[in-house]
Amino acid sequence: MTQLKHLDNSPPTPGKFKMDKSPYIHRLRWHGSLAKLTFWSFIFLGLILIFFFRSPSSNSLPSDPSRRSLRTYNWGGPAWEKRVRSSARVRSRHGMSVLVTGAAGFVGTHVSAALKRRGDGVLGLDCFNDYYDPSLKRARQALLERSGVFIVEGDINDSALLSKLFEVVAFTHVMHLAAQAGVRYAMENPGSYVHSNIAGLVNLLEVCKNANPQPAIVWASSSSVYGLNTKVPFSERDRTDQPASLYAATKKAGEEIAHTYNHIYGLSLTGLRFFTVYGPWGRPDMAYFFFTRDILKGKTIPIFEAANHGTVARDFTYIDDIVKGCLASLDTAEKSTGSGGKKKGPAQLRVFNLGNTSPVPVSDLVTILERLLKVKAKRNIMKLPRNGDVPFTHANISSAQRELGYKPTTDLQTGLKKFVRWYVSYYSGGKKASG
Ligand SMILES: O=C(O)[C@H]1O[C@H](OP(=O)(O)OP(=O)(O)OC[C@H]2O[C@@H](n3ccc(=O)[nH]c3=O)[C@H](O)[C@@H]2O)[C@H](O)[C@@H](O)[C@@H]1O
């Protein structure tokens, strides 16, 4: 009870207290002190009780300093555990039980829905932060809830929560998609990238390595790890030691961290380098999304060009193709070999490009949007700012083709048509979460 020490007037070694010799005064003082002590003890106990009653699970208290930045989420209790179990229950014969982190995110929502559709058990986890409009995340959550996927609200940095989830469900797989995304925002808020993409990843892997059985993990890396690499198309064997943004650097760090956990603990790990994923329910911070919004509003859109009027291009990849790649990665993931934090033998470690293999200049993307929206864009062509963007990306997908049977089938024109249809219905329908 160190907090009470400064309220306690009694001397540390009573026998040596010689200033006041009168037993009467001494008794009075002693009684006074006892009354004060009792009074403050009640206040202190009261505060503790209020604290506990306000948070349904004592496990979610941010007690250690590394967790102080975490928001307090409500989790725990028998009803909560029942929902967790029911959502993660496998309903098909050879199904898996998957924890999907970032389930209210763009890719997370689509992957969770696809897994649930084929009978796998799915439990979502998401912190619902406000990097972009949280109401879109809530609408995705509502969509998933209707198909029986429960999303637990919490941070991947919360080890008590993660451990609890593994205590309640023996997940066979983790689809780790929770991350701080976006290339340019890393200059504004570098700490959020370290928090989610490095500290959060390590925390998740720590819990996975201690789980018994250990799950197999598939996680989202990024095409941005190729950075200033100029050899095209980008192959998994190419150099990735020249990241152009802190975002890219944290994803690259993630790949090295994955290697370590595979090497020491026998965790089965598959990293997926996504190439500019787009589609319905997408991320409003991405160019195709805010270009659509701004073209419709009649606002000027900045279109970047490389040095000497060079083209800036992206290997835009449609969400359904990415989902197929994610599911194939889960299906081909071998079991982790360790248990209880100990490695028992070598485990699988993979990295795949998931792209479309046909880069499109950003100016062509805008032309397609103009045609679909039937509105002429106000273009402001400007030099690619030094903010982490790279001039082009282009995936070599032969490895994913060979090992996952991955074969993208949606071109940008077709994919954007589906996106625009969703965008118009979502934003004109009072943001109703319609599919
Ligand atoms: O492939 C990836 O790994 C990455 O893809 C996207 O990053 P990015 O390709 O930069 O996607 P956008 O931010 O949507 O930009 C698309 C293109 O539009 C260009 N752009 C962006 C913004 C703008 O105002 N004007 C503009 O011309 C960019 O230079 C880029 O060529 C995602 O935002 C990242 O989270 C993801 O990891």
Side-chain angles (χ1 to χ4, degrees):
M1 294 284 246
T2 47
Q3 292 92 330
L4 290 179
K5 264 189 184 152
H6 68 288
L7 302 174
D8 189 347
N9 288 333
S10 55
T13 42
K16 286 184 183 166
F17 187 73
K18 292 199 174 118
M19 254 174 68
D20 189 348
K21 291 203 169 114
S22 153
Y24 176 72
I25 292 176
H26 191 90
R27 209 167 38 240
L28 252 184
R29 287 230 174 123
W30 195 83
H31 278 299
S33 301
L34 190 69
K36 271 188 197 165
L37 182 69
T38 314
F39 173 76
W40 285 110
S41 299
F42 270 117
I43 296 280
F44 186 66
L45 272 173
L47 284 174
I48 289 180
L49 282 175
I50 289 170
F51 202 48
F52 270 89
F53 277 113
R54 282 179 57 122
S55 106
S57 166
S58 56
N59 293 334
S60 62
L61 300 179
S63 50
D64 78 86
S66 62
R67 293 176 53 218
R68 283 216 181 110
S69 59
L70 298 182
R71 258 169 57 193
T72 309
Y73 296 92
N74 290 343
W75 56 268
W80 177 87
E81 284 186 23
K82 201 171 158 209
R83 280 188 87 185
V84 166
R85 247 184 240 111
S86 146
S87 184
R89 189 164 302 129
V90 179
R91 289 168 209 276
S92 68
R93 201 138 166 265
H94 297 291
M96 44 182 87
S97 175
V98 191
L99 171 65
V100 180
T101 70
F106 171 36
V107 180
T109 297
H110 284 276
V111 170
S112 299
L115 287 169
K116 196 72 186 181
R117 266 199 302 274
R118 61 178 213 180
D120 293 312
V122 184
L123 179 76
L125 174 68
D126 205 291
C127 71
F128 292 90
N129 68 19
D130 61 359
Y131 166 59
Y132 60 79
D133 182 11
S135 76
L136 179 57
K137 299 180 184 183
R138 292 294 171 189
R140 295 184 190 130
Q141 178 187 30
L143 197 72
L144 284 182
E145 233 158 56
R146 284 204 289 277
S147 52
V149 177
F150 174 43
I151 303 184
V152 168
E153 286 193 39
D155 195 308
I156 49 169
N157 281 279
D158 189 341
S159 21
L161 168 59
L162 290 181
S163 305
K164 181 75 194 174
L165 292 177
F166 273 90
E167 211 181 288
V168 177
V169 178
F171 294 106
T172 55
H173 294 75
V174 173
M175 183 81 223
H176 176 47
L177 298 167
Q180 176 58 60
V183 175
R184 294 170 293 277
Y185 180 65
M187 289 180 74
E188 261 176 70
N189 188 357
S192 66
Y193 289 80
V194 177
H195 178 79
S196 298
N197 304 357
I198 298 189
L201 175 67
V202 170
N203 195 50
L204 176 75
L205 295 179
E206 277 293 312
V207 174
C208 289
K209 116 208 169 203
N210 287 330
N212 213 345
Q214 290 177 336
I217 301 148
V218 177
W219 69 284
S221 183
S222 158
S223 73
S224 64
V225 299
Y226 291 107
L228 305 179
N229 176 41
T230 48
K231 187 179 154 287
V232 277
F234 300 161
S235 141
E236 289 89 346
R237 287 177 305 279
D238 291 347
R239 60 188 296 190
T240 52
D241 57 353
Q242 302 167 290
S245 63
L246 181 71
Y247 168 68
T250 60
K251 285 295 180 179
K252 167 69 180 169
E255 293 189 356
E256 306 305 328
I257 290 165
H259 179 272
T260 312
Y261 276 80
N262 169 268
H263 174 69
I264 304 182
Y265 302 110
L267 280 177
S268 161
L269 276 146
T270 304
L272 302 176
R273 294 177 179 166
F274 294 154
F275 282 69
T276 317
V277 190
Y278 72 99
W281 297 98
R283 273 172 34 211
D285 64 313
M286 288 185 68
Y288 75 93
F289 197 115
F290 66 78
F291 282 176
T292 301
R293 183 191 64 215
D294 292 347
I295 291 172
L296 287 172
K297 277 189 187 162
K299 254 177 88 176
T300 303
I301 54 170
I303 300 171
F304 301 152
E305 63 172 25
N308 304 318
H309 303 292
T311 306
V312 170
R314 285 290 178 275
D315 197 1
F316 295 100
T317 311
Y318 189 62
I319 183 66
D320 290 1
D321 290 324
I322 289 292
V323 169
K324 281 185 209 146
C326 290
L327 267 53
S329 300
L330 288 167
D331 291 341
T332 54
E334 289 170 8
K335 283 191 173 149
S336 291
T337 62
S339 74
K342 293 240 161 46
K343 182 179 178 177
K344 300 270 164 67
Q348 190 180 39
L349 179 69
R350 307 181 293 176
V351 171
F352 293 113
N353 285 342
L354 291 187
N356 196 46
T357 61
S358 59
V360 176
V362 177
S363 52
D364 290 6
L365 164 99
V366 176
T367 307
I368 299 173
L369 286 177
E370 286 178 324
R371 265 205 306 273
L372 293 168
L373 299 168
K374 299 188 179 65
V375 181
K376 193 111 193 85
K378 291 186 185 138
R379 301 175 185 228
N380 176 21
I381 312 291
M382 56 191 285
K383 225 178 114 211
L384 191 67
R386 268 184 207 279
N387 55 11
D389 264 327
V390 292
F392 59 86
T393 61
H394 183 180
N396 171 335
I397 55 162
S398 47
S399 185
Q401 237 158 4
R402 199 177 49 245
E403 301 200 22
L404 307 176
Y406 171 74
K407 196 170 173 294
T409 55
T410 314
D411 62 20
L412 187 59
Q413 168 89 26
T414 313
L416 280 179
K417 195 171 172 185
K418 292 184 183 178
F419 164 72
V420 165
R421 200 180 303 144
W422 167 80
Y423 182 95
V424 171
S425 96
Y426 181 73
Y427 285 102
S428 65
K431 292 191 188 181
K432 279 201 200 86
S434 54

